[in-house]
């Protein structure tokens, strides 16, 4: 499996491939404050239950850490990941924290 990152001025995506076939992704948009909004996650139905969403989520976390940006989770899967792992709170956008406390 291979993860590829594509990015434009407005958004980006981490795509997971197996034998050149797209099997999953996490999409994000750049927010006005310079952070990112995680807007969507998808894993091919035939590959679910293999923790591939977490593989993509970890890639997103690594990207934000390397680029000194925070995450505003919009996608329900990403929200769930943060709710289940309070130790990841430092990765959250301050606006999200203010709106959800």
């Amino acid at each position: 499996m291979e993860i590829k990152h594509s990015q434009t001025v407005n958004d980006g995506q981490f795509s997971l491939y197996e034998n050149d076939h797209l099997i999953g992704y996490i999409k994000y948009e750049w927010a006005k404050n310079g952070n990112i909004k995680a807007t969507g996650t998808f894993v091919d139905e035939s590959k679910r239950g293999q923790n591939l969403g977490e593989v993509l989520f970890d890639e997103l976390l690594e990207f934000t850490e390397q680029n000194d940006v925070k995450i505003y989770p919009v996608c329900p899967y990403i929200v769930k990941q943060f709710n289940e792992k309070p130790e990841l709170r430092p990765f959250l956008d301050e606006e999200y924290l203010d709106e959800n406390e």
Side-chain angles (χ1 to χ4, degrees):
M1 286 189 216
E2 178 183 17
I3 296 176
K4 295 181 182 177
H5 180 223
S6 58
Q7 184 175 310
T8 70
V9 173
N10 299 317
D11 56 18
Q13 179 170 311
F14 291 95
S15 303
L16 183 60
Y17 291 89
E18 182 177 68
N19 300 324
D20 295 324
H21 177 68
L22 179 66
I23 59 170
Y25 60 76
I26 285 183
K27 293 183 177 186
Y28 64 88
E29 298 173 358
W30 288 102
K32 290 181 182 178
N33 67 3
N35 289 327
I36 62 173
K37 290 186 177 184
T39 58
T41 304
F42 169 78
V43 172
D44 187 275
E45 192 173 316
S46 68
K47 300 296 181 183
R48 293 184 185 164
Q50 298 179 31
N51 295 321
L52 298 180
E54 285 197 33
V55 169
L56 290 162
F57 180 68
D58 289 345
E59 196 75 20
L60 178 69
L61 292 177
E62 186 176 320
F63 172 78
T64 60
E65 197 168 42
Q66 290 174 351
N67 291 279
D68 197 29
V69 295
K70 304 290 182 185
I71 301 169
Y72 189 107
V74 177
C75 166
Y77 175 79
I78 304 295
V79 170
K80 180 182 173 206
Q81 289 297 309
F82 279 109
N83 287 341
E84 291 178 351
K85 300 172 183 170
E87 67 274 15
L88 298 178
R89 184 179 173 90
F91 287 91
L92 288 169
D93 184 297
E94 288 297 323
E95 289 179 24
Y96 179 81
L97 291 170
D98 291 344
E99 293 171 8
N100 292 282
E101 290 193 336

